[in-house]
Amino acid sequence: MDRLNGYARRVPTWVVYGLGLVPLALLVWGAVQNSLGVDPVKAIEHRLGELGLQFLLASLAVTPLRRVGLNLLRFRRALGLLAFAYVSLHLVAWVWLDMGLRWAEVVADLWKRPYVILGMVGFLALLPLALTSTNAAIRRLGPKSWGRLHRLAYVAILAGVLHLVLLSKVWTAEVLVYAGLAVVLLGVRLLPRRSAQGRVPA
Amino acid sequence: RIEASPSTFSTDATPNTYEEITSYNNFYEFGTGKEDPALYSGGLTVDPWSVVIDGLVDKPGTYDLADLVKDQALEERIYRFRCVEAWSMVIPWIGFELSGILNRVGVQSGAKFVAFETLVRPEEMPGQQSRFIEWPYREGLRLDEAMHPLTLMATGLYGEPMPNQNGAPIRLVVPWKYGFKSIKSIVRISLVAEMPPTTWNMLQPSEYGFYANVNPTVDHPRWSQASERLVGSGLFAGRQDTLMFNGYEAEVAGLYAGQDLAVDY
């Protein structure tokens, strides 16, 4: 584990940003090459949403992994910002490519479609997190309230996974995996911390 | 190529390509992904094929497919196809009217509905190895809907025999209803007195009614049905308005005179 932590310390964070944007580059390339299948709109929309969920889950895995000794805290901001970027692009793809900028229908959906509402809740929960992702913002807010604010990530992942569940017609393995991971990553946060670490539950 | 005469029921809209029609399918017997049917239906045995016709008919029996089709006049019908998921295509089917079969076997006076079943053969249909749907896939029509001249038994498309992923060797096409009504790979047709159970209605009755007529004013509980994306029209093509009865209002609205379509969805 110490060796892993040693390797992780030597990886610059820009590598994570770079690798995190590779799927986006592939998607753009696929769209240009027209190799995204018969329905590129759905393919783009679905892939962006999937990446948003994946990076959000990855960022939420950082704290539990630290509890078992693997320290990836340096990469959490990158993972979170990548999640926000993909969720934002997913929203743009929905409004523009899928809904064809039919604003009346967009607004109607935002008003009465639970899965659309949940998707928007997830996006809005991530927005303040992205805006306060700088060191300056952490200093200004103070680490305590910054930490409290960033628990909105829990809201975002719950909203995101429910959004996926509600738009699926049947329970597929994919849906079950995302829902399961989200439940596990949130659930471990409810476990009491080991006293061996010298912490007393507040 | 299959010989088929043109039909006045055909739309003059441009059909989707063969590639689009055969690689973007909902056929959960082969998996829930749109690409799964094209990938996993190659092993389906479609010859020999027979169809059981039973229930309230004069001549029940197990009919060999060739026998069932032999006296029917094949037509090319270019129909709009609207999925309940709010996408659509235009498809040049080859087939004959369902009424042709029903008249041949003799519908008895007590029959009010027609029930259909898809093949169950998990060893060739990998999606059937999971039980998220209670197989066989079932669909049904009211007798007047089944007898309507638009209602097609399709055995081909684009002049070719029906590809497996599109419901080989014989499937239903009801162009004014959401696509899931157009049951694929049919092995049983039963004339019955009561409204038969249908798969999506059994799974989620509040979302999928028995009638499932395309209707832009009656939304799916989870999404709007006011508009649709025409598959294959390009990244930035946006949407088109969904038409009442998928554009077949003049032909079929009379079937539902006096019915509240928000109740009978």
Side-chain angles (χ1 to χ4, degrees):
Chain A
M1 195 63 88
D2 285 341
R3 227 178 40 207
L4 273 180
N5 283 328
Y7 290 138
R9 255 197 304 281
R10 265 174 284 160
V11 177
T13 52
W14 63 259
V15 171
V16 175
Y17 285 108
L19 289 177
L21 291 171
V22 168
L24 179 62
L26 289 175
L27 203 53
V28 172
W29 180 247
V32 172
Q33 294 291 305
N34 196 18
S35 65
L36 298 177
V38 167
D39 192 3
V41 171
K42 268 284 134 103
I44 290 169
E45 190 179 34
H46 184 93
R47 183 82 183 116
L48 290 170
E50 196 174 69
L51 286 161
L53 281 176
Q54 287 166 1
F55 279 102
L56 198 51
L57 287 170
S59 71
L60 284 166
V62 168
T63 297
L65 286 175
R66 220 153 66 107
R67 286 215 221 165
V68 297
L70 181 62
N71 188 353
L72 302 173
L73 194 59
R74 306 175 44 231
F75 306 119
R76 191 169 63 180
R77 177 187 296 167
L79 295 171
L81 283 174
L82 284 163
F84 176 72
Y86 281 116
V87 169
S88 306
L89 288 171
H90 173 69
L91 174 61
V92 170
W94 174 65
V95 173
W96 186 14
L97 304 183
D98 187 343
M99 298 306 291
L101 301 177
R102 289 183 169 222
W103 292 103
E105 282 178 45
V106 167
V107 170
D109 278 357
L110 277 172
W111 187 244
K112 59 180 189 180
R113 310 269 162 232
Y115 85 90
V116 177
I117 295 167
L118 280 165
M120 188 52 78
V121 166
F123 170 74
L124 290 177
L126 288 178
L127 191 59
L129 310 196
L131 293 174
T132 58
S133 63
T134 58
N135 290 337
I138 299 173
R139 274 196 301 276
R140 206 165 52 239
L141 287 168
K144 256 226 166 75
S145 35
W146 185 89
R148 261 202 307 274
L149 175 67
H150 279 245
R151 285 191 204 145
L152 276 174
Y154 307 161
V155 175
I157 192 64
L158 283 175
V161 165
L162 277 175
H163 166 76
L164 175 67
V165 168
L166 279 182
L167 64 83
S168 306
K169 288 205 303 188
V170 289
W171 287 93
T172 59
E174 184 200 18
V175 174
L176 290 170
V177 166
Y178 283 108
L181 283 173
V183 166
V184 167
L185 289 177
L186 293 183
V188 293
R189 291 173 155 79
L190 299 174
L191 297 176
R193 293 186 184 171
R194 280 208 311 266
S195 50
Q197 290 178 330
R199 292 206 192 98
V200 183
Chain B
R1 279 182 70 91
I2 301 171
E3 286 298 317
S5 39
S7 166
T8 51
F9 285 125
S10 287
T11 166
D12 45 21
T14 309
N16 282 86
T17 64
Y18 185 82
E19 158 82 13
E20 286 162 354
I21 294 167
T22 56
S23 57
Y24 191 80
N25 307 99
N26 280 328
F27 196 172
Y28 283 10
E29 280 77 350
F30 297 104
T32 52
K34 295 280 189 291
E35 300 81 14
D36 290 343
L39 291 173
Y40 306 121
S41 67
L44 178 67
T45 309
V46 296
D47 186 17
W49 191 274
S50 55
V51 179
V52 173
I53 303 184
D54 61 3
L56 302 167
V57 292
D58 296 332
K59 287 177 266 182
T62 302
Y63 289 82
D64 186 65
L65 181 66
D67 175 40
L68 203 60
V69 173
K70 70 173 191 299
D71 294 324
Q72 306 298 335
L74 288 181
E75 289 183 15
E76 180 178 66
R77 299 270 181 106
I78 305 171
Y79 281 166
R80 287 179 290 277
F81 184 93
R82 169 61 154 82
C83 180
V84 73
E85 297 165 347
W87 54 265
S88 65
M89 288 197 191
V90 176
I91 304 178
W93 303 108
I94 304 279
F96 55 90
E97 293 177 12
L98 172 60
S99 64
I101 294 184
L102 296 181
N103 289 331
R104 181 176 155 197
V105 297
V107 178
Q108 297 180 350
S109 61
K112 299 283 179 281
F113 292 89
V114 188
F116 304 86
E117 284 179 16
T118 296
L119 178 71
V120 180
R121 195 182 286 159
E123 62 277 20
E124 289 184 1
M125 301 174 118
Q128 287 180 338
Q129 284 156 22
S130 37
R131 307 280 317 166
F132 57 90
I133 282 175
E134 195 187 312
W135 312 107
Y137 191 88
R138 280 162 260 219
E139 260 310 334
L141 295 172
R142 211 169 57 192
L143 189 59
D144 58 345
E145 298 174 326
M147 296 299 283
H148 195 280
L150 278 172
T151 303
L152 200 68
M153 292 300 276
T155 54
L157 63 85
Y158 261 115
E160 304 288 335
M162 187 67 73
N164 288 357
Q165 61 266 40
N166 294 82
I170 187 163
R171 64 169 291 170
L172 184 69
V173 179
V174 194
W176 71 93
K177 293 175 180 285
Y178 293 120
F180 67 85
K181 293 296 288 183
S182 293
I183 183 171
K184 302 185 179 87
S185 303
I186 294 169
V187 293
R188 182 184 214 105
I189 301 174
S190 309
L191 278 291
V192 293
E194 306 289 332
M195 185 182 282
T198 55
T199 290
W200 281 101
N201 183 250
M202 290 158 71
L203 275 170
Q204 203 53 265
S206 62
E207 301 189 346
Y208 308 100
F210 175 82
Y211 290 96
N213 292 316
V214 176
N215 188 337
T217 67
V218 176
D219 286 340
H220 186 281
R222 286 182 284 157
W223 54 82
S224 163
Q225 297 290 24
S227 62
E228 67 205 33
R229 284 183 318 105
L230 179 60
V231 170
S233 58
L235 260 190
F236 303 105
R239 291 181 163 242
Q240 59 190 29
D241 290 332
T242 291
L243 302 173
M244 188 64 203
F245 294 113
N246 201 25
Y248 299 95
E249 186 170 14
E251 291 87 354
V252 302
L255 295 173
Y256 308 100
Q259 273 181 274
D260 181 348
L261 296 176
V263 177
D264 295 334
Y265 55 90

